[in-house]
Amino acid sequence: MATIDKVDDGRKRKYLVRWRDELGKQRKRGFERKADADRFRAEVEHQLNTGRYVDPTQGKKPFREHAERWRLAQPARPNTAARHKSNLEKHVYPVLGHRAIAAIRATEVQAFVTKLGQDLAPGSVRTVVSVVRAIFSAAVKDGVIGRNPCEGLRLPVKPTETIVPLTVEQVDALAAGMPPPHHRIVRVTAGLGLRQGEVFGLKKTDVDLAKREIHVRRQIQPSTGGGWEEGPPKNEFSRRTIPLPKTVAEELEAHMRECPPAPAGWLFSTPDGDPLHRAMFNPTIWSRTRASAADAFRQRAAAAAEPEERAELERRAEQLATCGMHDLRHFFASVLIAAGLNPKIVAARLGHADAAMTLRVYTHLWPADDDRTRDAVDAVLGHASGT
């Protein structure tokens, strides 16, 4: 319950609103007009009664102080934590860090996002904004501010990416371009659709040749100190069992004969027995692999007699020159789709949260069902009408 007291300091009469916050701490605020004091008392009592009390003293503290408290409290993986810290210090704090968090308005945040979109790609803008939104959301929950100024933000439109899967020939070129002892990684990844970290996280115990299954139980990511770290799969749906095709089983058996797993059990490891990770693999091994594969297609293009064939080989060469290991995952998805597997099964094999996510990425790869639609309707209506 809030109260109003008249206070005369000898110069002017004030109306002092007193109340106790949610922690029982005594608070007060003065007003020159009683109407203003009455209005404020009613507002404070309503906030306290509905659990939406906003602490005016906390709202005066700078955004950066609240953001750092939020950042340090997150149970994020080291890479994610480092990305949060970098985005805040590089993009957010120079603009919003010094401002009192309760004074930051929606129009100010929108201007910040619009300016950010002039320097960063839409996807990167969304990554930064997701952190800012989470900080303001935490401030609302903590009773620091009454409303999240990120509500209703207009973000840069992210161009729709149309996945163009690699061909079998391109996958073969990548496999041929990767030097031993890791050359079998290409067909293993393309045949299982694993994320790069999941491939590097495979152990001998994850391979069940008798049941012809692969168990995805972990992933390997680079650590902030330059090493590596073992962590769980990306999400709960990524922890999965994948049927092991015969061709992939043969690749794995051959790899384990040629390169017996290290004592720790990693299938793909460094000479020291540590697992591979993208920070050391991509700039060296993968970079040379895709360059070699692209050169192989360029040589074929140079020898092609037909202009159309030459142009297509050059296009595939350029695709190889910039592809990542994730393109092997797209190849796997395209193979399943072409074989007629439904979105739910494809999502399960890829470790997606649901089929909707799979459709957003790969819907253009499913064959058009125009003729099947016509036949289905004709089969019913045609039979009903006697035609």
Side-chain angles (χ1 to χ4, degrees), residues 302-317:
E306 297 296 328
E308 293 81 2
E309 180 185 5
R310 186 183 309 114
E312 178 61 18
L313 289 169
E314 289 174 349
R315 184 196 66 77
R316 293 184 183 181

Side-chain angles (χ1 to χ4, degrees), residues 35 65 81 93 100 104 134 140 195 213 215 223 235 265 267 281 337 380:
E65 183 174 331
Y93 291 160
I104 299 174
V140 172
R195 299 176 178 92
E213 293 177 343
H215 303 286
S223 64
N235 54 52
L267 287 185
F281 183 85
I337 292 168
V380 175

Side-chain angles (χ1 to χ4, degrees), residues 55-63 66 98-103 144:
D55 187 344
T57 60
Q58 290 295 318
K60 295 177 182 178
K61 293 181 179 180
F63 174 87
H66 291 283
H98 65 288
R99 303 275 283 111
I101 191 169
V144 174

Side-chain angles (χ1 to χ4, degrees), residues 77 216 232-240 351-353:
R77 295 171 179 167
V216 181
K234 185 176 181 179
N235 54 52
E236 59 178 307
F237 305 97
S238 298
R239 191 183 297 276
R240 61 200 187 278
H352 284 169

Side-chain angles (χ1 to χ4, degrees), residues 75-314:
R77 295 171 179 167
N79 281 341
T80 303
R83 186 166 59 250
H84 287 167
K85 185 174 187 293
S86 175
N87 282 332
L88 286 168
E89 292 182 347
K90 184 175 181 180
H91 302 296
V92 183
Y93 291 160
V95 180
L96 302 176
H98 65 288
R99 303 275 283 111
I101 191 169
I104 299 174
R105 299 291 179 256
T107 52
E108 188 175 357
V109 179
Q110 183 63 70
F112 161 71
V113 172
T114 301
K115 176 63 172 64
L116 202 62
Q118 298 172 5
D119 304 320
L120 300 178
S124 299
V125 172
R126 290 172 181 269
T127 299
V128 175
V129 171
S130 68
V131 174
V132 175
R133 180 182 281 113
I135 292 168
F136 278 119
S137 179
V140 172
K141 293 178 181 178
D142 288 343
V144 174
I145 56 177
R147 181 176 179 273
N148 190 332
C150 290
E151 293 177 5
L153 275 180
R154 297 182 63 184
L155 301 178
V157 177
K158 188 176 181 180
T160 302
E161 181 183 5
T162 300
I163 301 297
V164 179
L166 298 174
T167 64
V168 175
E169 287 181 317
Q170 287 173 302
V171 173
D172 288 343
L174 288 167
M178 183 173 289
H182 306 304
H183 56 291
R184 298 189 187 279
I185 285 180
V186 171
R187 287 195 173 90
V188 169
T189 306
L192 296 175
L194 301 179
R195 299 176 178 92
Q196 188 177 37
E198 294 171 345
V199 177
F200 296 155
L202 286 177
K203 289 187 173 184
K204 183 178 180 179
T205 52
D206 299 324
V207 182
D208 190 331
L209 293 174
K211 293 184 178 179
R212 290 181 59 184
E213 293 177 343
I214 285 284
H215 303 286
V216 181
R217 295 169 170 144
R218 71 193 70 79
Q219 64 173 334
I220 300 298
Q221 298 291 346
S223 64
T224 53
W228 59 275
E229 61 182 18
E230 176 183 344
K234 185 176 181 179
N235 54 52
E236 59 178 307
F237 305 97
S238 298
R239 191 183 297 276
R240 61 200 187 278
T241 297
I242 304 174
L244 181 59
K246 180 181 178 181
T247 52
V248 180
E250 291 172 350
E251 292 284 345
L252 287 170
E253 288 181 293
H255 174 74
M256 287 188 282
R257 285 196 305 270
E258 298 165 2
C259 306
W266 305 112
L267 287 185
F268 302 105
S269 60
T270 66
D272 296 330
D274 292 328
L276 303 177
H277 59 82
R278 68 171 185 269
M280 56 82 63
F281 183 85
N282 289 351
T284 54
I285 298 172
W286 183 258
S287 180
R288 291 195 296 267
T289 296
R290 68 186 185 186
S292 175
D295 285 342
F297 268 76
R298 291 191 185 102
Q299 292 173 13
R300 290 177 56 189
E306 297 296 328
E308 293 81 2
E309 180 185 5
R310 186 183 309 114
E312 178 61 18
L313 289 169
E314 289 174 349

